Amino acid sequence: MPEAQPRNITLALQGGGAHGAFTWGVLDRLLEDPRLRITAISGTSAGALNAAVLAAGLQREGVEGARAALHEFWRTISRFGAFSPFSQAAASPWAPWVMWMEGLARLASPYDVNPLNLDPLRRTLEQTIDFDQLRDCTAISLFISATNVRSGALKIFTTPELTVESLLASACLPRLHHAVRIGDDYFWDGGFMGNPVLEPLLTGCDASDVLIVQINPTRRETLPRGAEAIDDRVNEITFNASLMREIRSIAHLNRLVEHGWATSGQLVEVFLHMIGAEEVTSGLGVRSKFDTRWTFLTRLRDAGRSKAGAFLDAHYQDLGHATTLALEDWAPTYALPGDGRVEGGGPD
């Protein structure tokens, strides 16, 4: 009996600094499964970096090249401390001088604290990604998000447009880095407008399944009371807001299709899935997103591999057939004419 064709899926990768090593693990596990073919990736910040590294490695040496490229990238992140603008080495973010610099960053502009705009992430990207190979990659379509500082609009860079600057723009935290200039525009982190953006995966991609890799916890059981805890929670809510809105919209469109209200043939049902890092990252503060110790990164990688393996064991047969994301936790129930349902709330 001939082997079945691989199942096409698209990925949506959230940002989260060093927590993106969890996504590295998820990608590593998905890549080694011959039953899957990743056709498109939407990524923001660390999710964008993972997507670009994967695509460049895939273009160079196929699946094993993609896995090796991800390993090399994160090893280089660790060596350079590349998520910290204050260090060229992988120092612990808990060191007193790092905490002092972080406090200074809250009071002063990065243009004052770091006037030369030194950014070890630039060096990491230049050493680990062949951008000519990346732009030539046709096996995977990439959609990389950034926020236009002047207009506040979302900018999506596609594969042929990708450069060091576009990736730095997607990961540019305005309290830590100078805005990234591309042409006549300036950009900040894409997470303000889309973390990640799902819409490009719904049009022009030959897969009905969107697998979201979520880094930022949605839910917290305890009320934050300390200043740092409050800042952490504000950060989580802010960088999940756009994703929650898009999931609500997709859930509503799926119900329109299901109930026959979308009859033009333009809309098809989208199957949503999620692998979340909440159990892994919910006990970690925002400062840990700058922790580039190799032991920490590989612990997150291993957790991502484990969660991806558990997802495939439980839900591979659902791909192409059913949504496995608990939409009732994300989307209100919109009443359709004659449906009898009432509008409810999102996650509580």
Side-chain angles (χ1 to χ4, degrees):
M1 177 180 296
E3 294 184 5
Q5 290 295 315
R7 172 74 64 185
N8 289 344
I9 62 169
T10 62
L11 305 180
L13 309 181
Q14 267 199 337
H19 294 182
F22 175 88
T23 303
W24 165 29
V26 171
L27 296 174
D28 191 64
R29 179 63 182 86
L30 296 179
L31 284 166
E32 75 178 16
D33 193 321
R35 300 174 300 172
L36 300 176
R37 185 169 76 92
I38 302 167
T39 62
I41 304 177
S42 175
T44 298
S45 195
L49 306 182
N50 274 316
V53 171
L54 184 155
L58 188 71
Q59 178 70 10
R60 183 173 66 245
E61 294 179 315
V63 168
E64 290 307 312
R67 297 180 66 197
L70 285 164
H71 184 279
E72 178 189 2
F73 172 75
W74 285 98
R75 196 70 178 101
T76 308
I77 286 283
S78 180
R79 287 199 299 268
F80 290 167
F83 285 121
S84 169
F86 310 128
S87 174
Q88 293 290 329
S92 169
W94 304 100
W97 71 273
V98 174
M99 297 175 68
W100 179 81
M101 290 297 290
E102 182 185 89
L104 180 61
R106 294 175 183 270
L107 300 174
S109 161
Y111 299 87
D112 299 321
V113 176
N114 182 18
L116 298 179
N117 196 23
L118 301 176
D119 189 350
L121 182 56
R122 174 182 290 275
R123 181 182 175 192
T124 299
L125 294 173
E126 290 173 344
Q127 287 197 8
T128 56
I129 297 178
D130 183 324
F131 281 88
D132 289 331
Q133 286 186 335
L134 173 60
R135 288 187 290 269
D136 287 341
C137 182
T138 57
I140 294 181
S141 299
L142 299 186
F143 305 97
I144 303 305
S145 303
T147 302
N148 188 305
V149 179
R150 289 170 168 164
S151 69
L154 173 69
K155 168 66 177 178
I156 298 178
F157 296 96
T158 59
T159 312
E161 301 174 287
L162 293 181
T163 62
V164 171
E165 281 70 27
S166 55
L167 293 182
L168 289 174
S170 185
C172 178
L173 294 174
R175 282 292 186 180
L176 298 179
H177 302 284
H178 295 203
V180 178
R181 181 174 180 174
I182 301 175
D184 294 328
D185 290 313
Y186 292 86
F187 295 93
W188 283 340
D189 193 294
F192 294 113
M193 298 301 295
N195 193 24
V197 179
L198 303 184
E199 188 273 335
L201 302 178
L202 310 183
T203 58
C205 294
D206 57 348
S208 58
D209 293 279
V210 177
L211 173 57
I212 303 164
V213 182
Q214 186 188 25
I215 299 296
N216 297 293
T218 304
R219 184 182 182 90
R220 291 286 189 181
E221 298 299 333
T222 58
L223 177 68
R225 296 181 183 275
E228 185 172 319
I230 291 172
D231 284 346
D232 287 356
R233 189 56 182 149
V234 168
N235 178 277
E236 290 168 352
I237 292 172
T238 299
F239 282 97
N240 273 326
S242 58
L243 176 63
M244 295 177 74
R245 287 193 296 270
E246 283 204 273
I247 289 177
R248 289 186 179 117
S249 296
I250 293 171
H252 184 49
L253 290 175
N254 279 349
R255 293 199 58 236
L256 289 174
V257 173
E258 174 188 351
H259 287 260
W261 288 91
T263 58
S264 68
Q266 298 293 322
L267 296 177
V268 295
E269 187 170 8
V270 177
F271 304 117
L272 295 177
H273 316 277
M274 181 175 287
I275 297 174
E278 191 158 320
E279 296 173 6
V280 182
T281 61
S282 60
L284 303 173
V286 69
R287 193 179 290 117
S288 66
K289 293 182 178 182
F290 304 103
D291 187 347
T292 57
R293 293 172 297 174
W294 186 239
T295 53
F296 180 67
L297 298 179
T298 53
R299 178 162 64 88
L300 291 176
R301 175 204 63 194
D302 294 345
R305 279 189 54 86
S306 177
K307 291 280 284 185
F311 170 83
L312 291 173
D313 289 343
H315 298 300
Y316 175 78
Q317 296 301 326
D318 293 314
L319 296 178
H321 301 287
T323 287
T324 62
L325 176 63
L327 292 177
E328 64 273 12
D329 293 337
W330 289 81
T333 301
Y334 295 95
L336 296 176
D339 186 26
R341 300 190 186 186
V342 297
E343 185 175 343
D348 57 16

